Every structure is written in structure tokens, then in C-alpha cells.
Amino acid sequence: MLSGDISKLISCFSRLPGMGYRSAVRIVVYLLRKKHSVMEYFIKTLESVYENSKICEVCGNVDVADKCSICSDLKRDGSTICVVADISDLWSIEKAGFYRGRYHVLGNKLSAINGVMPEDLNIDRLYNRIKSSKEIREVIIALSADIDGQTTVFFVNDKIKDLGVKITTLSQGIPIGSELEYLDDGTIIAAFNQRRDV
Ligand SMILES: [Zn+2]
């Protein structure tokens, strides 16, 4: 019989995305074994991220400053904005290391089944961002190839189409239904290079 707190810790881990009970047990056992090296560092990092992380007021990314490191990097190409559904998609594209423009995080995809409505998306800020900018020339809508992703592509396109910027979307090389965050770097790069007009 596991004691209360250890049992609670396993339950915390097992509720994380993609994690089951057995993986949670393995992690907790590992942390307990490496209490003074791994677990201590883990707690301090988690606490620091909890205390300091905030949503970027420009693009919706999460960082430890009001304006994220991408938005405040003057060397990035301000003429291109890549629209993504979630922060994890942004981080996947950054990890692939080829894209030098800026981003906009919608925070979700439209979904009839999950009850996600237009007002749940960070879309007005995107509209105002493009409207008030003189340098933005292309908006790349980088969403998954499933129904929710494609519905959202058309919705975003409809919202910003009168602003006079080029609007493109990723090539259909992305496997249907797949989320950007699960794709390998090569597939993401190919989907960007073969992007097409909406
Ligand atoms: Zn930002």
C-alpha cells in the first residue's frame, strides 16, 4: 500500500498528456532514487517556471518576459507571421530550426465536437497586429490537416483576407489528422517549403 503523498504524486504524473499509470510509477520511482540530484533540480525548475512564465502579449507564446524572446529578437524576419494552434506547435517549428519569421498562437482550433467557437481563438489580436503593421507581407497558416485544422485555416483566411497580405497554408504533405508537434523536422520543413495559397 503506497503512502498518501507518493500515491498523489503518481496520480499527478498519470494525468499528464500521453502518460499512463505505469509510466507515472516509473518516473516517481526514478525521482525517489535520484532524490538529491534529479528530483531537487526538477522541483527548482518547475517552481521557477511556475513563478516566472507568462504569455507573450504580442504573439501568445509562453516565455519568462512580457515580450517573448522571438518577438523581441530584432534579427527575426518581421515580414512573415506563422499562425499556429498551440504553443507546442510553435516550439516544434522552432526546434526544426529553419523558420526565421515571427508567430501568432491562436490557442486552439475551431471544433464542433469540442465546442471551440471563434471567440475562443486569439484572432482579433492577429487582425489588429497585421492591420497596424507596415512590414508584415505574408501570413503562413500552419495548422494540422484534419477537419478542425482545415476549418480553422478557412476561418483565419476569411478574417484577414482584406488586409492585403499574402496568405499561405502548409502543403498537404502532412499526414491527415496529425498534429504538428508529432511530426519530424524533415516533414515540417517540407510542408513549409511547399506551402500554397489558401
Ligand atoms: Zn511573442
Side-chain angles (χ1 to χ4, degrees), residues 118-156:
E119 56 266 31
D120 299 317
L121 302 184
N122 182 20
I123 185 77
D124 291 343
R125 193 174 287 185
L126 174 66
Y127 180 89
N128 292 329
R129 217 178 140 186
I130 300 167
K131 200 174 178 193
S132 61
S133 162
K134 288 186 179 65
E135 63 171 342
I136 298 170
R137 285 198 298 274
E138 181 180 357
V139 174
I140 304 168
I141 310 175
L143 299 172
S144 54
D146 55 10
I147 292 170
D148 291 348
Q150 293 309 297
T151 306
T152 312
V153 168
F154 290 119
F155 170 74
V156 173

Side-chain angles (χ1 to χ4, degrees), residues 56-61 66-72 103:
C56 173
E57 57 198 17
V58 179
C59 74
N61 186 16
D66 290 334
K67 206 172 175 183
C68 76
S69 59
I70 296 170
C71 287
S72 50
Y103 294 92

